[in-house]
Amino acid sequence: DEALRSLAPQKDLGKGIRKMAEFMVRLVKDPRLRLRSQTTQFIVGATGETDLDYLKATEILIKDKVMGRVYFSAFQPVAGTPLEDAPPAPLIREVRLYQAEFLIRRYGFSIAELAGSADGNLLADIDVKLAAALALSPGYADASALRGMLALREMRFSEAADYFCTARRVEA
């Protein structure tokens, strides 16, 4: 709410979200008004919210079927606006939020199942899916398996396909 007040002092975040949510619930429940899917977009990193803040809102919007999809864009300052001197958000935050949103939307993950750092942000240096897998089954992935998974991320598609074909032949 404080972030919104710094950008638009005349607006009330709670009131705006309630009105939007009430409208979206009517759209979802009334078959005459139902649209295929509603989406929303967050500008990430403009006013200090953490990834956890965005994911809490995302989880509510998706699990309550208010939104079918949530999009993210890393903040980039624009000259002549109140935030023109604010630092841009790292693009990796946008990528990690998309990965987390996919796990929430497609597989029903909860925020608690997604690994993050103590500051409330997702880990920038590790894929959210891999971090979640390691957190959910810590005994399954040892250090060498993790190194192998990280090495695969650096491979081109054809190299990864060759790796998996070779691994299957060795297992057989």
Side-chain angles (χ1 to χ4, degrees):
D1 203 23
E2 184 179 319
L4 180 64
R5 267 189 248 123
S6 71
L7 296 173
Q10 73 281 10
K11 296 199 177 214
D12 178 342
L13 179 63
K15 189 183 212 179
I17 287 178
R18 276 191 306 278
K19 286 176 89 174
M20 190 252 332
E22 289 167 3
F23 174 71
M24 297 307 296
V25 167
R26 272 198 336 244
L27 281 178
V28 169
K29 290 186 177 184
D30 187 338
R32 296 170 300 148
L33 300 174
R34 187 172 300 154
L35 300 174
R36 187 160 182 91
S37 178
Q38 296 297 312
T39 65
T40 193
Q41 181 173 14
F42 292 118
I43 306 299
V44 177
T47 54
E49 290 86 3
T50 66
D51 294 346
L52 183 60
D53 295 327
Y54 294 115
L55 291 174
K56 283 179 182 175
T58 297
E59 185 177 51
I60 291 167
L61 292 170
I62 289 174
K63 290 195 173 176
D64 289 350
K65 298 187 184 335
V66 174
M67 295 289 165
R69 183 85 196 264
V70 176
Y71 292 94
F72 305 93
S73 289
F75 169 75
Q76 301 297 310
V78 175
T81 67
L83 297 176
E84 67 183 338
D85 295 325
L91 292 176
I92 194 66
R93 279 188 75 189
E94 179 181 324
V95 171
R96 296 295 181 240
L97 284 164
Y98 272 117
Q99 292 170 340
E101 185 270 349
F102 179 78
L103 292 176
I104 292 168
R105 176 174 44 86
R106 179 72 172 85
Y107 294 105
F109 272 61
S110 69
I111 294 171
E113 294 173 298
L114 303 174
S117 60
D119 67 357
N121 289 312
L122 295 167
L123 302 171
D125 58 343
I126 188 168
D127 181 279
V128 174
K129 297 177 293 299
L130 178 57
L134 293 172
L136 291 172
S137 53
Y140 180 73
D142 62 9
S144 62
L146 178 58
R147 278 194 299 276
M149 291 292 288
L150 293 175
L152 281 174
R153 289 181 47 194
E154 302 301 319
M155 291 181 183
R156 290 190 310 269
F157 179 77
S158 60
E159 292 172 328
D162 289 344
Y163 173 86
F164 284 113
C165 289
T166 304
R168 269 197 218 113
R169 282 193 297 270
V170 170
E171 290 175 359

